[in-house]
């Protein structure tokens, strides 16, 4: 029910980043209703729980991109890019 803005894209980027790191989807559901419920009400396992080779800092980046409250998410994709550049 909230307006869509750039932070919706950041959530989507978090989903893709999660999948790249873990080779799994962060939210699961057998039906579209179950999937939407999962997205709205569950937290995915940390990437480092699914792949022990992933540094824990990536858990924090993904979690902040996937946080439910858009005001608590990264506000710009550039913020994520800056952090990743520093890590590389």
């Amino acid at each position: 029910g909230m307006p869509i803005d750039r932070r919706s894209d950041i959530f989507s980027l978090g989903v893709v980043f999660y999948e790249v790191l873990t080779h799994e989807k962060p939210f699961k559901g057998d039906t579209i209703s179950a999937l939407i419920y999962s997205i709205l009400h569950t937290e995915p396992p940390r990437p480092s729980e699914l792949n022990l080779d992933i540094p824990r800092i990536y858990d924090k980046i993904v979690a902040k991109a996937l946080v439910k409250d858009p005001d608590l998410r990264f506000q710009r994709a550039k913020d994520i890019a800056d952090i990743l550049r520093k890590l590389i």
Side-chain angles (χ1 to χ4, degrees):
M2 296 169 48
I4 295 174
D5 62 17
R6 68 190 177 281
R7 297 170 303 178
S8 301
D9 293 334
I10 290 171
F11 186 90
S12 298
L13 177 62
V15 169
V16 171
F17 195 37
Y18 188 97
E19 290 182 19
V20 166
L21 291 170
T22 67
H23 305 285
E24 293 190 22
K25 295 185 183 311
F27 305 103
K28 296 175 176 49
D30 293 333
T31 65
I32 191 68
S33 297
L35 177 60
I36 291 170
Y37 182 88
S38 178
I39 292 168
L40 294 175
H41 300 288
T42 67
E43 299 298 327
R46 292 186 308 258
S48 65
E49 291 176 14
L50 302 175
N51 180 346
L52 298 177
D53 294 328
I54 296 172
R56 294 185 63 116
I57 186 67
Y58 291 105
D59 293 343
K60 293 179 181 182
I61 295 168
V62 169
K64 187 164 181 174
L66 294 178
V67 71
K68 309 299 184 202
D69 182 344
D71 291 332
L72 300 177
R73 249 179 243 152
F74 289 104
Q75 297 300 297
R76 301 174 308 156
K78 183 181 181 319
D79 299 335
I80 299 171
D82 291 345
I83 291 170
L84 294 175
R85 276 191 204 98
K86 289 177 186 174
L87 291 173
I88 295 172

